[in-house]
Amino acid sequence: MPPAVQESARSAWVTALTPCVEDEPQQTRVLHWNGRTWLDVTGPVDGLWASAVTGDGKGTVGVSGG
């Protein structure tokens, strides 16, 4: 299961990897649930394999990994 954190019914964060495509490396994506839809809010996480995600309850998310 990918790293995830739920702050409320209208705020959840999850990390995911892009699908495997020949000759292209997978990339980490950060997604946010706003109560209606998932939004891709990926920031500067190039090359990061996420192992944890945390939210501060105010709209800020932290992602860590190797």
Side-chain angles (χ1 to χ4, degrees):
M1 171 159 253
V5 63
Q6 183 175 351
E7 298 176 316
S8 70
R10 295 185 187 168
S11 183
W13 304 89
V14 65
T15 62
L17 291 173
T18 57
C20 292
V21 177
E22 188 175 326
D23 297 328
E24 291 184 27
Q26 287 184 292
Q27 296 179 0
T28 296
R29 291 287 180 246
V30 179
L31 307 173
H32 180 248
W33 174 254
N34 65 8
R36 294 185 180 161
T37 189
W38 286 101
L39 303 171
D40 186 338
V41 295
T42 304
V45 293
D46 254 358
L48 177 73
W49 292 86
S51 60
V53 61
T54 59
D56 69 358
K58 300 175 185 175
T60 300
V61 65
V63 178
S64 62

Tab-separated table of all heavy atoms in Angstrom:
chain	number	residue	atom	x	y	z
A	1	MET	N	0.844	-1.174	0.000
A	1	MET	CA	0.000	0.000	0.000
A	1	MET	C	0.894	1.244	0.000
A	1	MET	O	1.855	1.322	0.763
A	1	MET	CB	-0.904	-0.016	1.216
A	1	MET	CG	-1.665	1.279	1.389
A	1	MET	SD	-3.105	1.068	2.408
A	1	MET	CE	-4.322	1.166	1.151
A	2	PRO	N	0.579	2.229	-0.821
A	2	PRO	CA	1.397	3.449	-0.859
A	2	PRO	C	1.215	4.271	0.416
A	2	PRO	O	0.197	4.165	1.096
A	2	PRO	CB	0.867	4.198	-2.077
A	2	PRO	CG	-0.498	3.673	-2.288
A	2	PRO	CD	-0.512	2.262	-1.773
A	3	PRO	N	2.221	5.095	0.730
A	3	PRO	CA	2.091	5.984	1.886
A	3	PRO	C	0.873	6.890	1.735
A	3	PRO	O	0.614	7.420	0.660
A	3	PRO	CB	3.380	6.799	1.863
A	3	PRO	CG	4.354	5.962	1.101
A	3	PRO	CD	3.523	5.232	0.083
A	4	ALA	N	0.101	7.037	2.822
A	4	ALA	CA	-1.100	7.866	2.792
A	4	ALA	C	-1.375	8.432	4.172
A	4	ALA	O	-0.949	7.880	5.176
A	4	ALA	CB	-2.290	7.041	2.323
A	5	VAL	N	-2.087	9.569	4.207
A	5	VAL	CA	-2.538	10.152	5.464
A	5	VAL	C	-3.889	10.808	5.213
A	5	VAL	O	-4.081	11.477	4.203
A	5	VAL	CB	-1.515	11.166	6.043
A	5	VAL	CG1	-1.311	12.354	5.132
A	5	VAL	CG2	-1.924	11.617	7.422
A	6	GLN	N	-4.832	10.554	6.117
A	6	GLN	CA	-6.149	11.185	6.017
A	6	GLN	C	-6.284	12.187	7.145
A	6	GLN	O	-6.151	11.848	8.313
A	6	GLN	CB	-7.268	10.160	6.106
A	6	GLN	CG	-8.631	10.790	5.943
A	6	GLN	CD	-9.752	9.771	5.900
A	6	GLN	OE1	-9.519	8.579	5.836
A	6	GLN	NE2	-10.978	10.257	5.930
A	7	GLU	N	-6.549	13.441	6.788
A	7	GLU	CA	-6.721	14.501	7.779
A	7	GLU	C	-8.183	14.682	8.149
A	7	GLU	O	-8.504	15.035	9.271
A	7	GLU	CB	-6.153	15.809	7.242
A	7	GLU	CG	-4.661	15.733	6.976
A	7	GLU	CD	-4.122	17.000	6.367
A	7	GLU	OE1	-4.745	17.552	5.443
A	7	GLU	OE2	-3.071	17.437	6.827
A	8	SER	N	-9.079	14.463	7.179
A	8	SER	CA	-10.520	14.599	7.399
A	8	SER	C	-11.223	13.940	6.224
A	8	SER	O	-10.581	13.411	5.326
A	8	SER	CB	-10.911	16.079	7.477
A	8	SER	OG	-10.795	16.692	6.198
A	9	ALA	N	-12.553	14.001	6.219
A	9	ALA	CA	-13.318	13.444	5.097
A	9	ALA	C	-13.055	14.213	3.809
A	9	ALA	O	-13.284	13.705	2.720
A	9	ALA	CB	-14.806	13.473	5.417
A	10	ARG	N	-12.561	15.436	3.933
A	10	ARG	CA	-12.299	16.273	2.757
A	10	ARG	C	-10.829	16.533	2.507
A	10	ARG	O	-10.481	17.397	1.697
A	10	ARG	CB	-13.011	17.617	2.912
A	10	ARG	CG	-14.496	17.464	2.915
A	10	ARG	CD	-15.154	18.802	2.955
A	10	ARG	NE	-16.590	18.639	3.117
A	10	ARG	CZ	-17.393	19.607	3.412
A	10	ARG	NH1	-16.934	20.823	3.571
A	10	ARG	NH2	-18.676	19.376	3.548
A	11	SER	N	-9.960	15.815	3.189
A	11	SER	CA	-8.535	16.031	2.969
A	11	SER	C	-7.747	14.760	3.255
A	11	SER	O	-7.681	14.303	4.393
A	11	SER	CB	-8.003	17.166	3.855
A	11	SER	OG	-6.631	17.394	3.578
A	12	ALA	N	-7.184	14.212	2.187
A	12	ALA	CA	-6.325	13.045	2.302
A	12	ALA	C	-5.189	13.186	1.300
A	12	ALA	O	-5.351	13.802	0.245
A	12	ALA	CB	-7.104	11.764	2.049
A	13	TRP	N	-4.048	12.642	1.654
A	13	TRP	CA	-2.867	12.697	0.801
A	13	TRP	C	-2.375	11.279	0.559
A	13	TRP	O	-2.401	10.447	1.456
A	13	TRP	CB	-1.744	13.479	1.483
A	13	TRP	CG	-2.127	14.855	1.892
A	13	TRP	CD1	-2.677	15.237	3.088
A	13	TRP	CD2	-1.990	16.046	1.134
A	13	TRP	NE1	-2.888	16.587	3.102
A	13	TRP	CE2	-2.470	17.118	1.916
A	13	TRP	CE3	-1.505	16.315	-0.139
A	13	TRP	CZ2	-2.472	18.424	1.465
A	13	TRP	CZ3	-1.506	17.633	-0.583
A	13	TRP	CH2	-1.987	18.661	0.217
A	14	VAL	N	-1.901	11.000	-0.642
A	14	VAL	CA	-1.347	9.695	-0.965
A	14	VAL	C	-0.233	9.885	-1.984
A	14	VAL	O	-0.260	10.837	-2.776
A	14	VAL	CB	-2.438	8.721	-1.497
A	14	VAL	CG1	-3.001	9.201	-2.811
A	14	VAL	CG2	-1.917	7.313	-1.597
A	15	THR	N	0.763	9.015	-1.929
A	15	THR	CA	1.782	9.021	-2.965
A	15	THR	C	1.574	7.794	-3.840
A	15	THR	O	1.034	6.777	-3.390
A	15	THR	CB	3.205	8.993	-2.380
A	15	THR	OG1	3.384	7.783	-1.647
A	15	THR	CG2	3.451	10.196	-1.497
A	16	ALA	N	1.970	7.895	-5.070
A	16	ALA	CA	1.814	6.797	-6.020
A	16	ALA	C	2.948	6.861	-7.030
A	16	ALA	O	3.595	7.896	-7.186
A	16	ALA	CB	0.473	6.908	-6.734
A	17	LEU	N	3.193	5.749	-7.697
A	17	LEU	CA	4.178	5.702	-8.768
A	17	LEU	C	3.457	5.694	-10.106
A	17	LEU	O	2.390	5.084	-10.245
A	17	LEU	CB	5.049	4.448	-8.660
A	17	LEU	CG	6.011	4.413	-7.485
A	17	LEU	CD1	6.683	3.045	-7.410
A	17	LEU	CD2	7.051	5.506	-7.600
A	18	THR	N	4.048	6.360	-11.088
A	18	THR	CA	3.498	6.316	-12.434
A	18	THR	C	3.604	4.888	-12.957
A	18	THR	O	4.433	4.108	-12.477
A	18	THR	CB	4.243	7.280	-13.372
A	18	THR	OG1	5.634	6.946	-13.361
A	18	THR	CG2	4.046	8.728	-12.960
A	19	PRO	N	2.790	4.511	-13.929
A	19	PRO	CA	2.848	3.155	-14.486
A	19	PRO	C	4.202	2.857	-15.129
A	19	PRO	O	4.900	3.771	-15.587
A	19	PRO	CB	1.746	3.148	-15.544
A	19	PRO	CG	0.855	4.288	-15.197
A	19	PRO	CD	1.722	5.303	-14.529
A	20	CYS	N	4.555	1.583	-15.160
A	20	CYS	CA	5.786	1.157	-15.842
A	20	CYS	C	5.593	1.314	-17.345
A	20	CYS	O	4.600	0.840	-17.901
A	20	CYS	CB	6.088	-0.304	-15.535
A	20	CYS	SG	6.546	-0.615	-13.848
A	21	VAL	N	6.521	2.008	-17.966
A	21	VAL	CA	6.531	2.177	-19.414
A	21	VAL	C	7.939	1.846	-19.871
A	21	VAL	O	8.915	2.324	-19.280
A	21	VAL	CB	6.154	3.618	-19.826
A	21	VAL	CG1	6.247	3.781	-21.332
A	21	VAL	CG2	4.762	3.972	-19.333
A	22	GLU	N	8.052	1.049	-20.906
A	22	GLU	CA	9.360	0.621	-21.395
A	22	GLU	C	10.305	1.803	-21.580
A	22	GLU	O	9.935	2.822	-22.157
A	22	GLU	CB	9.192	-0.114	-22.720
A	22	GLU	CG	10.473	-0.766	-23.196
A	22	GLU	CD	10.261	-1.586	-24.455
A	22	GLU	OE1	9.183	-2.183	-24.610
A	22	GLU	OE2	11.174	-1.599	-25.274
A	23	ASP	N	11.517	1.672	-21.061
A	23	ASP	CA	12.588	2.662	-21.186
A	23	ASP	C	12.321	3.982	-20.466
A	23	ASP	O	13.017	4.959	-20.694
A	23	ASP	CB	12.926	2.948	-22.655
A	23	ASP	CG	13.451	1.720	-23.372
A	23	ASP	OD1	14.107	0.876	-22.712
A	23	ASP	OD2	13.201	1.585	-24.575
A	24	GLU	N	11.294	4.053	-19.634
A	24	GLU	CA	11.027	5.259	-18.854
A	24	GLU	C	10.963	4.889	-17.383
A	24	GLU	O	10.242	3.963	-17.004
A	24	GLU	CB	9.711	5.909	-19.272
A	24	GLU	CG	9.734	6.514	-20.656
A	24	GLU	CD	8.430	7.227	-20.980
A	24	GLU	OE1	7.748	7.695	-20.051
A	24	GLU	OE2	8.105	7.301	-22.177
A	25	PRO	N	11.713	5.609	-16.536
A	25	PRO	CA	11.662	5.289	-15.109
A	25	PRO	C	10.323	5.705	-14.499
A	25	PRO	O	9.687	6.663	-14.950
A	25	PRO	CB	12.801	6.125	-14.513
A	25	PRO	CG	12.987	7.254	-15.471
A	25	PRO	CD	12.616	6.707	-16.826
A	26	GLN	N	9.893	4.962	-13.482
A	26	GLN	CA	8.689	5.357	-12.760
A	26	GLN	C	8.988	6.631	-11.985
A	26	GLN	O	10.114	6.878	-11.581
A	26	GLN	CB	8.259	4.261	-11.794
A	26	GLN	CG	7.651	3.073	-12.481
A	26	GLN	CD	7.153	2.073	-11.473
A	26	GLN	OE1	7.954	1.463	-10.793
A	26	GLN	NE2	5.848	1.918	-11.381
A	27	GLN	N	7.967	7.435	-11.780
A	27	GLN	CA	8.111	8.681	-11.038
A	27	GLN	C	7.087	8.725	-9.915
A	27	GLN	O	5.980	8.204	-10.050
A	27	GLN	CB	7.906	9.879	-11.958
A	27	GLN	CG	8.952	9.983	-13.036
A	27	GLN	CD	8.683	11.180	-13.934
A	27	GLN	OE1	7.734	11.924	-13.755
A	27	GLN	NE2	9.536	11.365	-14.923
A	28	THR	N	7.467	9.355	-8.817
A	28	THR	CA	6.566	9.535	-7.693
A	28	THR	C	5.592	10.659	-7.990
A	28	THR	O	5.966	11.689	-8.533
A	28	THR	CB	7.346	9.864	-6.412
A	28	THR	OG1	8.179	8.738	-6.081
A	28	THR	CG2	6.426	10.168	-5.241
A	29	ARG	N	4.346	10.457	-7.614
A	29	ARG	CA	3.310	11.485	-7.707
A	29	ARG	C	2.702	11.661	-6.330
A	29	ARG	O	2.574	10.715	-5.561
A	29	ARG	CB	2.202	11.088	-8.688
A	29	ARG	CG	2.670	11.070	-10.123
A	29	ARG	CD	2.870	12.488	-10.616
A	29	ARG	NE	3.315	12.513	-11.983
A	29	ARG	CZ	4.511	12.955	-12.349
A	29	ARG	NH1	5.369	13.377	-11.460
A	29	ARG	NH2	4.846	12.976	-13.603
A	30	VAL	N	2.320	12.883	-6.005
A	30	VAL	CA	1.636	13.192	-4.751
A	30	VAL	C	0.223	13.633	-5.124
A	30	VAL	O	0.049	14.541	-5.937
A	30	VAL	CB	2.353	14.317	-3.969
A	30	VAL	CG1	1.611	14.631	-2.682
A	30	VAL	CG2	3.801	13.923	-3.681
A	31	LEU	N	-0.775	12.956	-4.552
A	31	LEU	CA	-2.170	13.231	-4.871
A	31	LEU	C	-2.905	13.697	-3.623
A	31	LEU	O	-2.626	13.220	-2.518
A	31	LEU	CB	-2.838	11.980	-5.431
A	31	LEU	CG	-2.137	11.318	-6.614
A	31	LEU	CD1	-2.807	10.000	-6.958
A	31	LEU	CD2	-2.128	12.239	-7.817
A	32	HIS	N	-3.840	14.632	-3.806
A	32	HIS	CA	-4.637	15.154	-2.689
A	32	HIS	C	-6.114	14.953	-2.985
A	32	HIS	O	-6.586	15.280	-4.073
A	32	HIS	CB	-4.353	16.642	-2.476
A	32	HIS	CG	-5.134	17.224	-1.341
A	32	HIS	ND1	-6.138	18.142	-1.533
A	32	HIS	CD2	-5.072	16.998	-0.009
A	32	HIS	CE1	-6.657	18.462	-0.351
A	32	HIS	NE2	-6.031	17.774	0.583
A	33	TRP	N	-6.850	14.399	-2.002
A	33	TRP	CA	-8.302	14.248	-2.083
A	33	TRP	C	-8.922	15.456	-1.408
A	33	TRP	O	-8.621	15.740	-0.245
A	33	TRP	CB	-8.733	12.966	-1.380
A	33	TRP	CG	-10.207	12.786	-1.293
A	33	TRP	CD1	-10.976	12.931	-0.176
A	33	TRP	CD2	-11.091	12.436	-2.347
A	33	TRP	NE1	-12.285	12.690	-0.476
A	33	TRP	CE2	-12.396	12.380	-1.813
A	33	TRP	CE3	-10.922	12.179	-3.701
A	33	TRP	CZ2	-13.506	12.064	-2.577
A	33	TRP	CZ3	-12.028	11.864	-4.460
A	33	TRP	CH2	-13.297	11.809	-3.901
A	34	ASN	N	-9.765	16.190	-2.128
A	34	ASN	CA	-10.369	17.409	-1.568
A	34	ASN	C	-11.833	17.201	-1.189
A	34	ASN	O	-12.567	18.159	-0.989
A	34	ASN	CB	-10.239	18.579	-2.545
A	34	ASN	CG	-11.031	18.377	-3.826
A	34	ASN	OD1	-11.800	17.436	-3.970
A	34	ASN	ND2	-10.817	19.259	-4.782
A	35	GLY	N	-12.262	15.940	-1.118
A	35	GLY	CA	-13.648	15.634	-0.804
A	35	GLY	C	-14.482	15.350	-2.033
A	35	GLY	O	-15.588	14.851	-1.935
A	36	ARG	N	-13.950	15.691	-3.190
A	36	ARG	CA	-14.664	15.469	-4.458
A	36	ARG	C	-13.829	14.722	-5.483
A	36	ARG	O	-14.336	13.918	-6.234
A	36	ARG	CB	-15.095	16.803	-5.069
A	36	ARG	CG	-16.117	17.527	-4.270
A	36	ARG	CD	-16.561	18.761	-5.011
A	36	ARG	NE	-17.555	19.467	-4.214
A	36	ARG	CZ	-17.866	20.703	-4.390
A	36	ARG	NH1	-17.293	21.404	-5.349
A	36	ARG	NH2	-18.771	21.272	-3.615
A	37	THR	N	-12.547	15.042	-5.560
A	37	THR	CA	-11.701	14.472	-6.605
A	37	THR	C	-10.254	14.410	-6.139
A	37	THR	O	-9.859	15.124	-5.217
A	37	THR	CB	-11.825	15.302	-7.901
A	37	THR	OG1	-11.160	14.620	-8.957
A	37	THR	CG2	-11.243	16.684	-7.749
A	38	TRP	N	-9.486	13.555	-6.799
A	38	TRP	CA	-8.051	13.487	-6.546
A	38	TRP	C	-7.349	14.496	-7.446
A	38	TRP	O	-7.617	14.559	-8.645
A	38	TRP	CB	-7.512	12.087	-6.846
A	38	TRP	CG	-7.892	11.085	-5.826
A	38	TRP	CD1	-8.880	10.157	-5.919
A	38	TRP	CD2	-7.301	10.914	-4.541
A	38	TRP	NE1	-8.939	9.421	-4.775
A	38	TRP	CE2	-7.976	9.858	-3.905
A	38	TRP	CE3	-6.265	11.548	-3.848
A	38	TRP	CZ2	-7.655	9.408	-2.623
A	38	TRP	CZ3	-5.947	11.105	-2.579
A	38	TRP	CH2	-6.627	10.055	-1.981
A	39	LEU	N	-6.448	15.291	-6.880
A	39	LEU	CA	-5.669	16.274	-7.639
A	39	LEU	C	-4.196	15.909	-7.567
A	39	LEU	O	-3.683	15.571	-6.490
A	39	LEU	CB	-5.867	17.676	-7.048
A	39	LEU	CG	-7.302	18.176	-6.983
A	39	LEU	CD1	-7.367	19.463	-6.171
A	39	LEU	CD2	-7.831	18.395	-8.379
A	40	ASP	N	-3.495	15.987	-8.687
A	40	ASP	CA	-2.050	15.758	-8.706
A	40	ASP	C	-1.378	17.044	-8.246
A	40	ASP	O	-1.449	18.064	-8.928
A	40	ASP	CB	-1.598	15.382	-10.115
A	40	ASP	CG	-0.132	14.993	-10.189
A	40	ASP	OD1	0.655	15.385	-9.293
A	40	ASP	OD2	0.234	14.301	-11.149
A	41	VAL	N	-0.762	17.013	-7.082
A	41	VAL	CA	-0.108	18.194	-6.508
A	41	VAL	C	1.396	17.951	-6.351
A	41	VAL	O	2.042	18.530	-5.478
A	41	VAL	CB	-0.742	18.592	-5.151
A	41	VAL	CG1	-2.178	19.037	-5.332
A	41	VAL	CG2	-0.673	17.443	-4.151
A	42	THR	N	1.925	17.115	-7.231
A	42	THR	CA	3.331	16.748	-7.155
A	42	THR	C	4.214	17.988	-7.242
A	42	THR	O	4.024	18.839	-8.096
A	42	THR	CB	3.700	15.776	-8.298
A	42	THR	OG1	2.831	14.651	-8.223
A	42	THR	CG2	5.141	15.330	-8.196
A	43	GLY	N	5.139	18.070	-6.329
A	43	GLY	CA	6.119	19.155	-6.316
A	43	GLY	C	7.480	18.601	-6.685
A	43	GLY	O	7.571	17.641	-7.448
A	44	PRO	N	8.513	19.156	-6.118
A	44	PRO	CA	9.883	18.728	-6.448
A	44	PRO	C	10.255	17.420	-5.758
A	44	PRO	O	10.911	17.418	-4.720
A	44	PRO	CB	10.734	19.889	-5.958
A	44	PRO	CG	9.941	20.474	-4.834
A	44	PRO	CD	8.502	20.288	-5.212
A	45	VAL	N	9.819	16.296	-6.325
A	45	VAL	CA	10.130	14.992	-5.747
A	45	VAL	C	10.842	14.087	-6.755
A	45	VAL	O	10.807	12.873	-6.632
A	45	VAL	CB	8.865	14.289	-5.199
A	45	VAL	CG1	8.294	15.026	-4.019
A	45	VAL	CG2	7.820	14.107	-6.280
A	46	ASP	N	11.513	14.667	-7.743
A	46	ASP	CA	12.218	13.879	-8.751
A	46	ASP	C	13.164	12.873	-8.116
A	46	ASP	O	13.976	13.222	-7.267
A	46	ASP	CB	13.046	14.796	-9.657
A	46	ASP	CG	12.421	14.966	-11.020
A	46	ASP	OD1	11.374	14.357	-11.274
A	46	ASP	OD2	12.998	15.705	-11.827
A	47	GLY	N	13.040	11.626	-8.525
A	47	GLY	CA	13.934	10.587	-8.051
A	47	GLY	C	13.623	10.069	-6.659
A	47	GLY	O	14.317	9.192	-6.164
A	48	LEU	N	12.606	10.589	-6.000
A	48	LEU	CA	12.256	10.163	-4.650
A	48	LEU	C	11.305	8.978	-4.705
A	48	LEU	O	10.311	9.014	-5.417
A	48	LEU	CB	11.583	11.303	-3.881
A	48	LEU	CG	11.091	10.970	-2.476
A	48	LEU	CD1	12.279	10.841	-1.522
A	48	LEU	CD2	10.140	12.028	-1.973
A	49	TRP	N	11.626	7.919	-3.967
A	49	TRP	CA	10.725	6.791	-3.774
A	49	TRP	C	10.092	6.997	-2.410
A	49	TRP	O	10.725	6.763	-1.380
A	49	TRP	CB	11.476	5.467	-3.856
A	49	TRP	CG	11.962	5.206	-5.243
A	49	TRP	CD1	13.139	5.642	-5.786
A	49	TRP	CD2	11.283	4.509	-6.269
A	49	TRP	NE1	13.230	5.245	-7.103
A	49	TRP	CE2	12.102	4.538	-7.419
A	49	TRP	CE3	10.062	3.849	-6.332
A	49	TRP	CZ2	11.727	3.936	-8.613
A	49	TRP	CZ3	9.707	3.242	-7.523
A	49	TRP	CH2	10.540	3.294	-8.638
A	50	ALA	N	8.880	7.498	-2.398
A	50	ALA	CA	8.223	7.900	-1.154
A	50	ALA	C	7.998	6.714	-0.226
A	50	ALA	O	7.552	5.658	-0.650
A	50	ALA	CB	6.907	8.580	-1.456
A	51	SER	N	8.308	6.927	1.053
A	51	SER	CA	8.043	5.903	2.058
A	51	SER	C	7.133	6.432	3.161
A	51	SER	O	6.648	5.669	3.983
A	51	SER	CB	9.354	5.398	2.659
A	51	SER	OG	10.055	6.454	3.267
A	52	ALA	N	6.904	7.753	3.192
A	52	ALA	CA	6.030	8.346	4.199
A	52	ALA	C	5.480	9.664	3.685
A	52	ALA	O	6.130	10.366	2.916
A	52	ALA	CB	6.788	8.586	5.494
A	53	VAL	N	4.258	9.985	4.119
A	53	VAL	CA	3.638	11.263	3.794
A	53	VAL	C	2.928	11.756	5.057
A	53	VAL	O	2.343	10.964	5.795
A	53	VAL	CB	2.669	11.135	2.587
A	53	VAL	CG1	1.543	10.184	2.873
A	53	VAL	CG2	2.125	12.484	2.157
A	54	THR	N	3.036	13.045	5.319
A	54	THR	CA	2.375	13.647	6.475
A	54	THR	C	1.713	14.944	6.039
A	54	THR	O	2.174	15.608	5.120
A	54	THR	CB	3.369	13.971	7.616
A	54	THR	OG1	4.368	14.863	7.121
A	54	THR	CG2	4.021	12.724	8.151
A	55	GLY	N	0.638	15.309	6.711
A	55	GLY	CA	-0.046	16.575	6.451
A	55	GLY	C	-0.133	17.358	7.741
A	55	GLY	O	-0.127	16.780	8.834
A	56	ASP	N	-0.210	18.680	7.618
A	56	ASP	CA	-0.284	19.520	8.828
A	56	ASP	C	-1.697	19.988	9.133
A	56	ASP	O	-1.926	20.746	10.062
A	56	ASP	CB	0.666	20.716	8.734
A	56	ASP	CG	0.250	21.741	7.691
A	56	ASP	OD1	-0.771	21.519	6.996
A	56	ASP	OD2	0.937	22.762	7.575
A	57	GLY	N	-2.681	19.557	8.335
A	57	GLY	CA	-4.058	19.949	8.553
A	57	GLY	C	-4.386	21.347	8.030
A	57	GLY	O	-5.499	21.821	8.155
A	58	LYS	N	-3.379	22.000	7.433
A	58	LYS	CA	-3.564	23.354	6.915
A	58	LYS	C	-3.265	23.442	5.414
A	58	LYS	O	-3.117	24.518	4.885
A	58	LYS	CB	-2.654	24.327	7.667
A	58	LYS	CG	-2.935	24.377	9.145
A	58	LYS	CD	-1.931	25.260	9.848
A	58	LYS	CE	-2.151	25.191	11.354
A	58	LYS	NZ	-1.124	25.929	12.075
A	59	GLY	N	-3.123	22.277	4.758
A	59	GLY	CA	-2.869	22.282	3.324
A	59	GLY	C	-1.442	22.026	2.934
A	59	GLY	O	-1.108	22.020	1.754
A	60	THR	N	-0.568	21.799	3.907
A	60	THR	CA	0.832	21.521	3.602
A	60	THR	C	1.089	20.032	3.805
A	60	THR	O	0.617	19.439	4.771
A	60	THR	CB	1.772	22.324	4.513
A	60	THR	OG1	1.508	23.722	4.315
A	60	THR	CG2	3.224	22.042	4.204
A	61	VAL	N	1.832	19.435	2.889
A	61	VAL	CA	2.148	18.018	2.976
A	61	VAL	C	3.654	17.839	2.923
A	61	VAL	O	4.362	18.605	2.251
A	61	VAL	CB	1.460	17.235	1.838
A	61	VAL	CG1	1.976	17.638	0.489
A	61	VAL	CG2	1.585	15.752	2.045
A	62	GLY	N	4.142	16.861	3.654
A	62	GLY	CA	5.559	16.511	3.629
A	62	GLY	C	5.699	15.084	3.144
A	62	GLY	O	4.939	14.201	3.526
A	63	VAL	N	6.665	14.853	2.246
A	63	VAL	CA	6.912	13.524	1.698
A	63	VAL	C	8.365	13.194	1.952
A	63	VAL	O	9.252	14.009	1.713
A	63	VAL	CB	6.615	13.480	0.179
A	63	VAL	CG1	6.913	12.105	-0.388
A	63	VAL	CG2	5.183	13.881	-0.104
A	64	SER	N	8.623	11.975	2.438
A	64	SER	CA	10.013	11.559	2.654
A	64	SER	C	10.221	10.178	2.064
A	64	SER	O	9.283	9.435	1.828
A	64	SER	CB	10.354	11.560	4.149
A	64	SER	OG	9.542	10.633	4.839
A	65	GLY	N	11.462	9.858	1.809
A	65	GLY	CA	11.800	8.572	1.232
A	65	GLY	C	13.242	8.549	0.794
A	65	GLY	O	14.049	9.381	1.217
A	66	GLY	N	13.558	7.646	-0.069
A	66	GLY	CA	14.941	7.491	-0.505
A	66	GLY	C	15.092	7.568	-1.988
A	66	GLY	O	14.229	7.817	-2.734
